[in-house]
Amino acid sequence: MTLKKTAAGLLILTMAVTGAACTSKDSTTSPTPAATATVAPQATAAVTQDATNMKGYIAARIAREKVDYLFAEAKSADGAFVVNPIAATDKETAKKFLANYVDAAMLDTLVNHYVTDTKAGATYLTNTKSYFTDNILTTKKEEITFDKANTPELVKFTTKDGVTYTTKKANDKFLLSEVK
């Protein structure tokens, strides 16, 4: 019985010491609310345009990935590229798929460039010549020049190859709207 009481006493003592150590560690390493309130506004103001630029750049890269996925990945039985049947089978379903990444004003031009009138099974063959004159997926952030007039609603940037991409904000996300 004494052994059980001693073991129980040691367990309680260990828990108390551990709890005190955790409590004191948290209170010494946590910043005070006043310090957090002073630092946060300065940091937010300094990165707002950079963050917006990066959102536009990333949106353009994602749009390009989706275009490649839709038009340059799936092949027919004879090896010809077709509209990826996992995502779409024709022009209308291709537009619906890309509408999450590409602005409506650019959708028709883009889809009409890729989707041909020739069918291979249940889906259409695609044009193998890329709509894009460069591959943004091979660029690095350091090789991009962002337009100084960018806003929270519109981001323009130019690649090292001189191709200009424009992304517009719609429903709280950026969509690719133009490539020149």
Side-chain angles (χ1 to χ4, degrees):
M1 186 81 156
T2 308
L3 187 57
K4 287 182 181 178
K5 286 183 181 178
T6 305
L10 283 173
L11 180 63
I12 292 171
L13 180 63
T14 303
M15 288 174 34
V17 170
T18 304
C22 289
T23 303
S24 66
K25 182 179 178 182
D26 286 345
S27 64
T28 59
T29 59
S30 298
T32 61
T36 303
T38 341
V39 174
Q42 294 170 347
T44 302
V47 297
T48 300
Q49 190 58 51
D50 287 340
T52 300
N53 287 345
M54 286 310 298
K55 286 179 184 179
Y57 171 66
I58 290 168
R61 289 178 62 97
I62 291 171
R64 176 60 192 266
E65 286 177 350
K66 297 304 179 181
V67 167
D68 287 353
Y69 170 75
L70 190 59
F71 301 123
E73 271 192 24
K75 292 184 177 184
S76 66
D78 65 354
F81 283 106
V82 295
V83 175
N84 194 330
I86 294 171
T89 55
D90 59 19
K91 288 182 179 185
E92 290 310 310
T93 55
K95 287 177 193 177
K96 286 179 185 174
F97 176 78
L98 289 176
N100 292 313
Y101 312 100
V102 178
D103 187 57
M106 187 178 170
L107 270 176
D108 283 334
T109 305
L110 185 67
V111 171
N112 288 334
H113 172 82
Y114 281 105
V115 181
T116 68
D117 293 331
T118 308
K119 279 188 111 174
T123 189
Y124 288 88
L125 293 176
T126 60
N127 182 358
T128 57
K129 185 178 184 320
S130 180
Y131 174 85
F132 303 93
T133 57
D134 77 335
N135 189 351
I136 191 172
L137 299 176
T138 61
T139 64
K140 297 176 185 164
K141 179 188 166 209
E142 298 79 29
E143 300 170 336
I144 299 297
T145 304
F146 290 99
D147 193 322
K148 294 191 184 324
N150 285 346
T151 68
E153 304 300 317
L154 181 105
V155 172
K156 264 187 176 180
F157 59 89
T158 305
T159 66
K160 66 179 176 145
D161 299 324
V163 178
T164 301
Y165 288 80
T166 304
T167 57
K168 291 181 182 177
K169 197 168 196 178
N171 299 325
D172 291 328
K173 68 179 182 176
F174 283 94
L175 302 175
L176 180 63
S177 62
E178 186 175 59
V179 179
K180 291 195 224 180

